[in-house]
Amino acid sequence: MSRIIKLKADQAKVQDDMESLLATADAEGRDLTETEAKTFEDLKAQDDKLSASLKVEEDLQHRRAAAARPAASLPGAAGHVPAQPAEKLEAGQQFARITMALVNGNMDRRAAADWAENAWGTQAGQIVANLEQSEQTKGGLLVDETHSTDFIDLLRPRVVVRGMGATVLPIPTGNLTMKRKTSGTSATYTGERQPINLTGATVGTMKLSAKKLTALVPITNQLIRRASTSVERMVRDDLLGSVALKEDQQFIRGVGSDLAPAGLVNLAATGNKIAATDLSGITDAAERVQAVRNDLSRLRLRVINANVPMARCGYIISPTTKEFLENLTDGNGNKAFPEIREGRIGSYPYSMTTSVPSNLGADGDESEIIFADFAEVLIGDTYVTTIASSDQASYHDGTEWRSAFQTDETLIRIITEHDLGTRHDVAIAVLQQVAWKP
């Protein structure tokens, strides 16, 4: 381990001990005891000494870099030695490396930094050594904004609301309040020198407040100990898949609370939720096609007639609905929606996801179709990600409880923070009671 990395890791440990002393006294509502105060002063002196040593090492590093010359110009050099290009990592790969290092270091920054440097070099070790302790998650470490952003941006093609073009806003403080127009307009014709009158525009507020999304990802220890590019990709994709699945479900049908975002179905204006036509009594193929077209037209008109900009419109549907539309034919056997294989329904793109259920309704055979101008849908991201891990914890795999220790796995916990809102609730429309089956 380089001296700089070791000094930073040592300093982080000293500062953690100082914070622990203060936190204990604060939790008990008292000042530091005489013994604690002396310990704090000793730690403070150690911190000052480490800061001074770190400054000397960093200054020396800068001086060496400034004095460096190409190998070919040095006395006795046989020839030119080309510079080695810096390793170019794929998106999210550094995030996976940070996770693997923390797991292999048992969430200890010094051990994790040592492991990262041995596996990938000094720069990787420094990145891990500079991680900060999470104040909200015991034992968790914060991944800096650069690498968190890299990871979160990869969610776009995996989460249909992001993939359809929802507007992403940074909310570094965790909260954002903005004005939104709820009805009316503010434009009017006026004559020369005449005052501009208000024309019935109603303005409200929309608040994005960061909600915590927690994902648990079990990964075998045998896999995570191997520092290879293919393993890093697998770890990255496993982390992404777990976060994306839950985010997709919440962003589409989440009820919304102080702890979780409301989804599109519940953000849509009440008047924009309409029932689909019951096709069970329609046997004529042409009539069935026309009924489906009419339903989709009614759905779109709910948004169009609300004077929404229609900047990035599209559908979100279930796999069952997609199969139905793809196989629907008219009376002559022609495909009613041949363009669906090109990713469109009519002239608008669509995304398919199992996060739109097909088992709704009393008989469990109904689904929903969402149509929206996704430019009006807002995702607030803090771009803060917290990582914690345990090889002792248990988790439920959907069928039974499993022990990470017994299965030789490590359970990785990823926490991200975000919220979902809309500038206009009429920019979202939902076709409900869709009992269309292929």
Side-chain angles (χ1 to χ4, degrees), residues 277-394:
T277 300
D278 182 0
L279 301 181
S280 61
I282 305 176
T283 57
D284 182 78
E287 290 183 11
R288 286 171 64 86
V289 170
Q290 192 56 52
V292 170
R293 292 191 183 279
N294 288 345
D295 279 353
L296 294 176
S297 179
R298 289 190 300 123
L299 181 67
R300 293 193 302 271
L301 284 171
R302 281 296 196 278
V303 177
I304 295 170
N305 289 337
N307 293 319
V308 172
M310 305 293 285
R312 290 195 292 272
C313 291
Y315 296 93
I316 296 178
I317 62 176
S318 70
T320 301
T321 300
K322 186 260 183 182
E323 290 297 318
F324 170 83
L325 294 175
E326 187 171 17
N327 291 285
L328 185 64
T329 57
D330 61 19
N332 297 319
N334 299 314
K335 296 283 188 181
F337 297 93
E339 73 281 0
I340 201 164
R341 292 191 174 185
E342 301 173 0
R344 294 180 291 109
I345 299 175
S347 59
Y348 294 102
Y350 75 90
S351 283
M352 175 187 70
T353 175
T354 55
S355 295
V356 177
S358 296
N359 60 351
L360 302 173
D363 297 328
D365 63 348
E366 296 177 359
S367 187
E368 294 170 328
I369 297 176
I370 299 168
F371 181 81
D373 180 358
F374 288 93
E376 301 296 299
V377 177
L378 307 179
I379 299 173
D381 269 321
T382 62
Y383 291 114
V384 172
T385 308
T386 305
I387 298 175
S389 70
S390 171
D391 59 3
Q392 304 291 322
S394 297

Side-chain angles (χ1 to χ4, degrees), residues 55-384:
K55 186 176 180 180
V56 170
E57 291 290 342
E58 289 176 338
D59 179 69
L60 178 58
Q61 187 180 61
H62 292 155
R63 291 174 184 274
R64 284 173 174 166
R69 292 178 293 168
S73 66
L74 296 176
H80 177 68
V81 178
Q84 295 299 313
E87 182 182 15
K88 184 173 178 58
L89 301 181
E90 297 179 4
Q93 193 174 346
Q94 189 65 262
F95 188 93
R97 288 184 172 186
I98 292 170
T99 304
M100 293 171 66
L102 291 175
V103 171
N104 281 284
N106 198 26
M107 295 304 296
D108 180 271
R109 269 177 297 187
R110 288 177 294 179
D114 193 6
W115 193 91
E117 182 171 12
N118 289 332
W120 303 297
T122 301
Q123 183 180 18
Q126 289 177 337
I127 289 172
V128 175
N130 289 332
L131 297 178
E132 296 181 10
Q133 193 77 37
S134 171
E135 295 180 0
Q136 299 181 353
T137 305
K138 184 177 181 180
L141 289 166
L142 296 174
V143 180
D144 63 49
E145 183 176 341
T146 299
H147 301 113
S148 289
T149 301
D150 196 30
F151 177 78
I152 292 170
D153 284 348
L154 284 176
L155 290 172
R156 180 171 292 277
R158 296 170 180 257
V159 181
V160 297
V161 176
R162 291 181 185 267
M164 291 299 292
T167 301
V168 180
L169 301 173
I171 50 172
T173 63
N175 292 283
L176 175 66
T177 301
M178 59 188 298
K179 299 291 184 182
R180 68 172 182 175
K181 188 175 67 176
T182 57
S183 65
T185 177
S186 58
T188 184
Y189 289 100
T190 61
E192 186 176 0
R193 295 184 179 179
Q194 291 182 349
I196 299 175
N197 298 319
L198 295 176
T199 54
T202 303
V203 179
T205 59
M206 183 206 64
K207 183 176 181 179
L208 295 175
S209 178
K211 314 293 195 304
K212 283 187 182 180
L213 168 61
T214 303
L216 294 175
V217 188
I219 298 180
T220 63
N221 290 327
Q222 186 177 12
L223 179 68
I224 208 165
R225 293 188 188 109
R226 301 175 184 268
S228 70
T229 300
S230 59
V231 170
E232 292 161 19
R233 290 172 182 156
M234 291 178 65
V235 171
R236 176 197 63 190
D237 291 345
D238 282 351
L239 297 174
L240 282 169
S242 297
V243 174
L245 176 61
K246 183 57 181 177
E247 185 175 306
D248 220 11
Q249 294 169 343
Q250 194 68 32
F251 280 4
I252 291 174
R253 304 197 77 251
V255 175
S257 67
D258 290 340
L259 301 178
L264 297 177
V265 171
N266 292 294
L267 288 173
T270 302
N272 278 19
K273 300 176 184 180
I274 58 178
T277 300
D278 182 0
L279 301 181
S280 61
I282 305 176
T283 57
D284 182 78
E287 290 183 11
R288 286 171 64 86
V289 170
Q290 192 56 52
V292 170
R293 292 191 183 279
N294 288 345
D295 279 353
L296 294 176
S297 179
R298 289 190 300 123
L299 181 67
R300 293 193 302 271
L301 284 171
R302 281 296 196 278
V303 177
I304 295 170
N305 289 337
N307 293 319
V308 172
M310 305 293 285
R312 290 195 292 272
C313 291
Y315 296 93
I316 296 178
I317 62 176
S318 70
T320 301
T321 300
K322 186 260 183 182
E323 290 297 318
F324 170 83
L325 294 175
E326 187 171 17
N327 291 285
L328 185 64
T329 57
D330 61 19
N332 297 319
N334 299 314
K335 296 283 188 181
F337 297 93
E339 73 281 0
I340 201 164
R341 292 191 174 185
E342 301 173 0
R344 294 180 291 109
I345 299 175
S347 59
Y348 294 102
Y350 75 90
S351 283
M352 175 187 70
T353 175
T354 55
S355 295
V356 177
S358 296
N359 60 351
L360 302 173
D363 297 328
D365 63 348
E366 296 177 359
S367 187
E368 294 170 328
I369 297 176
I370 299 168
F371 181 81
D373 180 358
F374 288 93
E376 301 296 299
V377 177
L378 307 179
I379 299 173
D381 269 321
T382 62
Y383 291 114
V384 172

Side-chain angles (χ1 to χ4, degrees), residues 391-395 401-409:
D391 59 3
Q392 304 291 322
S394 297
Y395 64 97
W401 283 96
R402 297 170 62 92
S403 165
F405 180 78
Q406 288 180 329
T407 54
D408 192 27
E409 295 175 315

